[in-house]
Amino acid sequence: VGKRYLLTEDDIKLQEFQQMKVAIRNEVHGNKDPYFKSIKEKLKKNGMILKNELKNLLHLCQTSSDVELARKVIYRYHEQNGMSALHNFKFGPLFMRLCYELDLERPAVELIKDQNLRGFFSESTSFHILMTMLFKKGHFESALEVLVEMKKQGIPFNKETYLLAFAICYKLDNLESCKISAKLLEEAQLKGDTLPLRVFCFAVATALKQNDIAQAKFYCSQIMKTENKLYNNLKVLVQLRSGSLEEVIKTLEAAVEVDTPPFVKKIEFSEQVLATVREKMEENPDLSAKLGEVYTKLQASGRITVCTLEDMLFQIPSSKKIPAKLLHQKQLGCQTAKPLRSNLLL
């Protein structure tokens, strides 16, 4: 399956950052050395670092040793200006975009956790970019640590934060992450935060992977937007794992009976989910025969997809009306997806 990117280009704004880098490089006629030299001099003489100097420096960095210098300058700048400067310009996301672009997670994690820089990363975007970078590399434990740090620093969570959090917990797939999911959901609901549909879907999938069917059922009941491919596939799995085999048939039949206008997306079922259903139904010849009939109808109406459940979890819905910019999978297309045998489906 294609690479998982948790936030869209809109959230990370990497392209914008790279365009700005080109513009600033042109200003120094492509030669950053004299500029870097003057900054090093300033550091030596304990001179005042100006906002624009730090801004330009971050845009001129091209290597990890450049970032090392930027790091020293950030400490000096923060020391000299403290909290007062932070209202003028947010350097946090800029530094994170730089680390994201150069694929440097270590300095990003170290700086965001450093007590001496408290307040420098004062907005959720910095944390989101870093969590996305760590997630992309499969470093889910580190991504969770960054989420915990964000909470510790009192940075308010928004829809993107919850989406990242639940995707991380889904990937970690252990009892601890299952508990974190439950706690976060409870806190969000107590605060009255509206959560994207996908957050609940991740919560259902995480509970299923942990074989906590009661919890999966509870999360499923919280989903209001039910005319949705992902929800219906999860619902089938929850019904299946609860032993409600007749209900599974009803859910599949209901999808066939819906007369979908041509411009509305049909509810599709994953071939992988249906294979799991078929396996479970084998013990019951009557239901197995019914499933065969429904399967044929689903196939005839183009309602079966090769997308796995995990593909669906990480797809950006085409509709931008759904709250929050949702998870993005680099489109290698679902066609290339190999069925994923996970304990989610067993």
Side-chain angles (χ1 to χ4, degrees):
V1 177
K3 280 186 178 178
R4 310 299 198 198
Y5 288 82
L6 277 170
L7 295 185
T8 63
E9 174 57 51
D10 279 358
D11 296 299
I12 292 173
K13 294 190 169 62
L14 191 62
Q15 228 174 336
E16 245 170 77
F17 172 66
Q18 287 169 331
Q19 284 162 354
M20 194 65 177
K21 278 186 94 168
V22 172
I24 290 174
R25 195 156 60 239
N26 289 341
E27 275 176 35
V28 298
H29 310 294
N31 186 2
K32 60 181 186 175
D33 296 344
Y35 191 83
F36 276 43
K37 204 175 166 188
S38 69
I39 293 285
K40 283 175 185 166
E41 280 302 309
K42 265 200 164 188
L43 281 179
K44 242 186 233 164
K45 294 177 178 162
N46 217 353
M48 207 50 190
I49 303 288
L50 305 176
K51 180 177 80 179
N52 266 355
E53 288 176 326
L54 178 53
K55 205 171 171 179
N56 290 342
L57 179 72
L58 289 172
H59 283 100
L60 288 169
C61 287
Q62 285 169 313
T63 65
S64 56
S65 62
D66 291 352
V67 173
E68 235 1 86
L69 173 64
R71 181 188 176 126
K72 287 174 187 158
V73 177
I74 284 172
Y75 277 102
R76 180 64 56 82
Y77 181 83
H78 191 64
E79 204 180 290
Q80 289 171 343
N81 299 282
M83 299 303 283
S84 62
L86 297 172
H87 303 299
N88 307 331
F89 187 81
K90 303 266 185 266
F91 278 110
L94 208 54
F95 181 71
M96 287 302 163
R97 283 182 198 113
L98 175 63
C99 291
Y100 189 97
E101 184 200 33
L102 298 178
D103 203 20
L104 298 170
E105 70 202 65
R106 201 177 52 81
V109 172
E110 281 173 13
L111 263 63
I112 215 163
K113 286 182 170 184
D114 193 335
Q115 289 280 339
N116 298 315
L117 281 180
R118 192 48 66 89
F120 188 81
F121 301 99
S122 58
E123 66 310 291
S124 57
T125 312
S126 296
F127 290 86
H128 292 169
I129 295 169
L130 179 51
M131 282 191 270
T132 304
M133 170 162 59
L134 294 165
F135 190 98
K136 197 175 96 176
K137 292 173 149 215
H139 300 168
F140 308 120
E141 288 286 354
S142 302
L144 183 63
E145 281 173 25
V146 172
L147 180 78
V148 170
E149 185 61 35
M150 184 176 174
K151 202 170 177 3
K152 210 162 75 184
Q153 293 189 24
I155 312 284
F157 281 18
N158 61 21
K159 286 169 184 168
E160 280 85 8
T161 320
Y162 286 116
L163 202 48
L164 282 156
F166 280 79
I168 290 162
C169 289
Y170 165 80
K171 277 295 195 181
L172 279 169
D173 183 22
N174 55 36
L175 192 58
E176 190 50 38
S177 63
C178 218
K179 283 180 187 164
I180 292 168
S181 276
K183 197 169 185 307
L184 281 175
L185 200 61
E186 207 178 302
E187 283 175 10
Q189 288 175 321
L190 280 172
K191 278 192 282 188
D193 289 346
T194 46
L195 295 172
L197 163 85
R198 201 134 300 214
V199 159
F200 289 102
C201 292
F202 270 118
V204 174
T206 305
L208 281 174
K209 279 169 102 176
Q210 282 296 307
N211 214 11
D212 189 343
I213 311 305
Q215 194 73 320
K217 252 180 163 169
F218 171 68
Y219 293 144
C220 228
S221 70
Q222 307 267 303
I223 296 174
M224 298 303 162
K225 191 178 161 64
T226 55
E227 292 308 306
N228 173 282
K229 173 170 76 174
L230 181 53
Y231 166 76
N232 277 277
N233 278 270
L234 284 166
K235 183 181 171 185
V236 163
L237 285 178
V238 170
Q239 289 170 334
L240 191 68
R241 299 275 286 276
S242 310
S244 317
L245 303 189
E246 276 93 354
E247 292 301 312
V248 171
I249 299 285
K250 277 183 196 163
T251 303
L252 296 174
E253 278 175 343
V256 176
E257 281 155 21
V258 174
D259 193 15
T260 316
F263 53 87
V264 174
K265 261 195 150 181
K266 294 175 185 170
I267 285 174
E268 298 170 321
F269 291 93
S270 164
E271 182 63 79
Q272 170 209 32
V273 169
L274 293 172
T276 310
V277 172
R278 196 182 298 119
E279 220 173 282
K280 195 89 168 159
M281 298 273 183
E282 272 167 6
E283 303 140 32
N284 187 322
D286 289 352
L287 287 178
S288 212
K290 265 189 193 170
L291 178 66
E293 285 167 31
V294 181
Y295 186 90
T296 308
K297 286 179 192 168
L298 286 169
Q299 211 164 25
S301 59
R303 290 179 187 274
I304 296 176
T305 173
V306 289
C307 281
T308 64
L309 189 71
E310 187 152 311
D311 291 336
M312 290 182 190
L313 275 168
F314 285 91
Q315 257 175 359
I316 287 191
S318 51
S319 157
K320 289 293 170 201
K321 288 193 279 274
I322 294 173
K325 283 120 183 163
L326 295 171
L327 301 166
H328 175 47
Q329 169 189 353
K330 212 170 194 182
Q331 293 303 341
L332 293 181
C334 292
Q335 285 66 25
T336 58
K338 294 179 182 67
L340 184 99
R341 303 295 296 165
S342 76
N343 58 339
L344 173 61
L345 295 165
L346 300 176

